[in-house]
Amino acid sequence: MTATETATDAPPHPAAAALRERRDVSLTILVRREIERSIETGELKAGDWINEALLASRLGVSRGPVREACRGLEQSGLVKVVVNRGAFVREIGAQDARHLYELRAALFGFAGFQLAPIVTDDQIAALRALHDAMETASADTDLDTYYGINLKFHATLLAFTGNDRLAAAYSGFVRELHLFRRRALVSPGRMTASNAEHARIIDALAAHDPDLARSRMEAHVLDARDRVVPPTT
Amino acid sequence: MTATETATDAPPHPAAAALRERRDVSLTILVRREIERSIETGELKAGDWINEALLASRLGVSRGPVREACRGLEQSGLVKVVVNRGAFVREIGAQDARHLYELRAALFGFAGFQLAPIVTDDQIAALRALHDAMETASADTDLDTYYGINLKFHATLLAFTGNDRLAAAYSGFVRELHLFRRRALVSPGRMTASNAEHARIIDALAAHDPDLARSRMEAHVLDARDRVVPPTT
DNA sequence: AAATCGTAAATCGCCGACGATTTACGATTG
DNA sequence: CAATCGTAAATCGTCGGCGATTTACGATTT
C-alpha cells in the first residue's frame, strides 16, 4: 500500500517532493523556520517572550522541538535564552546595530575587493539589471519593492565571489539587523541617492579596480549605518 | 538547613561560586562546553559521530540536553546534524578552509582599518609586548607557546576596536578553522617570518595609517591561507 | 563466493510527566 | 494605604519511554 513498497526510485518520482519535505526535515527545523518567519513578519517583535508550551500546542508539537529550535536560534543571534526564564526575541541596541553594520561593511567591501579582478561581463550585466529595477521602483516610490531588490542586489554580488561562507555570514548579519527598530526611515530621496551609489559601485567593479570597489562598497554600508543609527547615541 | 533559608546575600557570599556555577547554567550549556572542549583537544575529530545516548550516560544526563547542545553547535558551525542519522563533528574541506581564511582576512583587515586612527599608545605598547613574547617563543622554537600568544595577539587587536560582535565573529571563524586538518605544518622559520609581519602591522597602526594597516593585516591572513591550504586543490 | 534479502539490534525523533524555579497576587502588617 | 510576606499558579529544566528509521549481520539465492 505505502510508497515504501516499491523502491524503484531510479527515476526521481515526480510527486515525492511532499514526502521528502517531511522525510528529511525534522520538527525542530520546521519550528525554527516558523519562528524565523514570525520574527521577519513582525508577529514576534524584539524583546517578546517566546512561550514554549503555547507555541508547541499552537504548532501541534511537544516542547522538545521548540526548545531545540530556540537553542539553534540562540546561536544564530535571533534569540536570547535566559536560564529558568525562557527564550526572548533578541533586542538589538544602537551599539549592537552599529557594530553589525560595520561587520556588513567589512564583508561587503571585501567581497568587492575580491570580485573586482575576476568579475565577468555577464555578472556586471546582472547587477546593472538589478540597479535598473531599483531605479524603476525608486521612481514609483515603491519602498517595499526597492528594499527587496536591494537585498537581492547585495546577495547576488556576494554570491558572485564564490565564497558561500561569506554570503552566509553576511545574510546572517542582515537578518540580525532586522531586529533593530526604526529602520524604515527611508525617504524616497534616499532611494535615488542609494541607487546612485550602486551605480558607482558597479562602475568600480566593471573597471576591475579592487580598492575603489572596496572603498565605495564599504562607504555605502557605513553611510547606511550613520543614517539608520546616529553616532550620537 | 539549606542555603536558601537565609537570603542575606547583601555581601556576595564567598563560597557561592560553586552554586552559582550550577544555578545559572543549564545542563545544555555544560554539555555544549564539554563537546567544544572535546573538539578542541582532539578527543573528537572532524567527521566523528556524536553518539547521543553514549555521551549522555557518560556525562550522567539524559539525551535532552545533549540534543539541545548539538542544535546549538550546529548553528555555530562546529557540528553537522543529519536527520535520522545523528550529529557529526563538522568536516572542513579545502574550499571551506580557504573561504574561512578569507573571512578572517576581511574582518582582521577591517579591524586594522578602524583601529589605526584611534589606537592609543598603551594599546600599541600592549601589542608590542605580545610581539616580543612571540619573538622569544620563536627563538626557543616553542610552537605551542607561539600559537597561543598569536591567538591572543589577534584577539587583543580585535578587542581594541571596541566592536565585540566583530571579535566574536572572528573567534568563531577561528574555531571553525580548527576543524581543518593539517594546520601544524608551521616551520620554525615561519614563526619568525610571521612575527616580522606582526611588527610591520603594529608599525602601520602606530603610524595611524588605516589603508596600510588593512593591507598588511589582510595580507597577513591571506598568506596563512595560501600556506596552509594551497590554491591548487 | 558474491550479491541479495530479511530480520534484529541500534539509534533517532518525539512525546508526556515530574520536580525546581520563577512569577503573580492576595493576605498581613506597620 | 504602602510595603512585605507567603502561597498558588505558571513556566522551565530534565528525564524516561515509545514508535519510526537506520544500520548491522547472518541466511538465502544465484
Side-chain angles (χ1 to χ4, degrees):
Chain A
M1 287 298 185
T2 67
T4 60
E5 208 175 278
T6 59
T8 62
D9 47 4
H13 198 288
L19 290 179
R20 302 288 280 211
E21 186 67 16
R22 185 58 193 86
R23 181 179 296 279
D24 49 13
V25 168
S26 64
L27 286 187
T28 298
I29 296 176
L30 257 36
V31 173
R32 191 167 66 202
R33 287 181 187 167
E34 170 60 19
I35 296 177
E36 287 174 348
R37 191 196 59 77
S38 297
I39 291 176
E40 283 182 19
T41 64
E43 296 173 45
L44 282 174
K45 292 168 188 164
D48 280 358
W49 168 50
I50 299 176
N51 189 328
E52 288 181 4
L54 180 62
L55 180 58
S57 71
R58 183 172 299 170
L59 298 178
V61 301
S62 89
R63 280 174 52 218
V66 175
R67 286 179 60 81
E68 292 181 12
C70 287
R71 293 316 177 282
L73 264 349
E74 181 183 29
Q75 283 302 316
S76 64
L78 290 183
V79 158
K80 168 78 175 172
V81 173
V82 182
V83 178
N84 275 326
R85 296 210 349 127
F88 302 83
V89 179
R90 190 114 188 278
E91 288 185 280
I92 300 295
Q95 191 79 353
D96 280 314
R98 286 185 67 82
H99 289 168
L100 286 170
Y101 267 111
E102 287 160 12
L103 276 170
R104 282 186 53 184
L107 297 190
F108 195 55
F110 183 78
F113 181 76
Q114 273 200 139
L115 182 59
I118 61 170
V119 67
T120 68
D121 293 343
D122 288 348
Q123 292 170 335
I124 291 292
L127 293 176
R128 286 206 195 281
L130 289 170
H131 167 266
D132 293 343
M134 278 188 276
E135 201 63 21
T136 303
S138 169
D140 299 344
T141 64
D142 186 347
L143 275 162
D144 289 338
T145 301
Y146 183 88
Y147 188 69
I149 305 177
N150 184 42
L151 283 181
K152 189 173 179 59
F153 175 80
H154 283 230
T156 302
L157 202 156
L158 269 290
F160 284 162
T161 66
N163 186 338
D164 24 334
R165 308 303 297 265
L166 181 62
Y170 183 86
S171 75
F173 293 140
V174 170
R175 225 175 12 193
E176 254 191 273
L177 222 26
H178 280 6
L179 295 176
F180 185 65
R181 291 183 169 87
R182 70 185 175 93
R183 64 183 160 82
L185 41 86
V186 225
S187 65
R190 279 254 58 92
M191 279 194 291
T192 62
S194 173
N195 211 24
E197 292 177 17
H198 290 157
R200 290 169 59 83
I201 286 171
I202 298 175
D203 291 342
L205 289 172
H208 301 295
D209 187 332
D211 293 309
L212 186 62
R214 157 137 64 191
S215 69
R216 284 181 178 173
M217 293 166 72
E218 208 169 84
H220 179 61
V221 181
L222 291 180
D223 283 354
R225 173 199 65 178
D226 291 332
R227 202 179 329 121
V228 174
V229 37
T232 66
T233 312
Chain B
M1 286 296 188
T2 66
T4 61
E5 209 176 277
T6 59
T8 61
D9 48 2
H13 197 289
L19 291 178
R20 303 287 280 211
E21 185 68 16
R22 185 59 193 82
R23 181 178 296 278
D24 48 13
V25 168
S26 65
L27 286 187
T28 298
I29 296 177
L30 292 178
V31 172
R32 191 167 65 203
R33 287 181 187 167
E34 170 60 20
I35 296 177
E36 286 175 348
R37 191 196 60 77
S38 297
I39 290 177
E40 283 182 18
T41 64
E43 296 173 44
L44 283 174
K45 292 168 189 164
D48 279 0
W49 170 48
I50 298 177
N51 188 328
E52 287 181 4
L54 181 61
L55 181 58
S57 71
R58 184 171 297 169
L59 298 178
V61 301
S62 90
R63 280 175 50 219
V66 174
R67 287 179 59 83
E68 292 182 12
C70 287
R71 293 314 177 284
L73 264 349
E74 182 183 28
Q75 283 302 315
S76 65
L78 290 184
V79 158
K80 168 78 174 172
V81 173
V82 183
V83 178
N84 276 324
R85 297 209 347 126
F88 302 83
V89 179
R90 190 113 189 280
E91 287 185 280
I92 300 295
Q95 190 80 351
D96 280 315
R98 287 185 66 82
H99 290 168
L100 285 170
Y101 266 110
E102 287 160 12
L103 276 170
R104 281 185 54 186
L107 297 189
F108 195 55
F110 182 78
F113 182 77
Q114 274 201 140
L115 182 59
I118 61 171
V119 67
T120 67
D121 293 344
D122 287 349
Q123 292 171 336
I124 292 291
L127 293 175
R128 286 205 195 282
L130 289 170
H131 167 267
D132 292 344
M134 278 188 275
E135 200 64 20
T136 303
S138 169
D140 299 348
T141 65
D142 187 346
L143 276 162
D144 289 338
T145 301
Y146 183 88
Y147 188 69
I149 304 178
N150 184 43
L151 283 180
K152 189 173 180 58
F153 175 80
H154 283 231
T156 302
L157 201 157
L158 269 290
F160 283 161
T161 66
N163 187 335
D164 24 334
R165 308 302 297 265
L166 181 62
Y170 184 85
S171 75
F173 294 141
V174 169
R175 231 182 358 203
E176 254 190 273
L177 222 25
H178 280 8
L179 295 176
F180 185 66
R181 289 183 170 85
R182 69 186 175 92
R183 63 181 159 85
L185 41 85
V186 224
S187 65
R190 279 254 58 91
M191 279 194 290
T192 61
S194 173
N195 211 25
E197 293 177 17
H198 290 158
R200 290 170 59 86
I201 287 171
I202 299 176
D203 291 342
L205 290 172
H208 301 292
D209 187 333
D211 294 309
L212 185 62
R214 159 139 62 192
S215 69
R216 285 181 179 174
M217 292 167 72
E218 208 170 83
H220 179 61
V221 179
L222 291 180
D223 284 355
R225 173 198 65 177
D226 291 332
R227 202 180 327 121
V228 173
V229 35
T232 64
T233 310

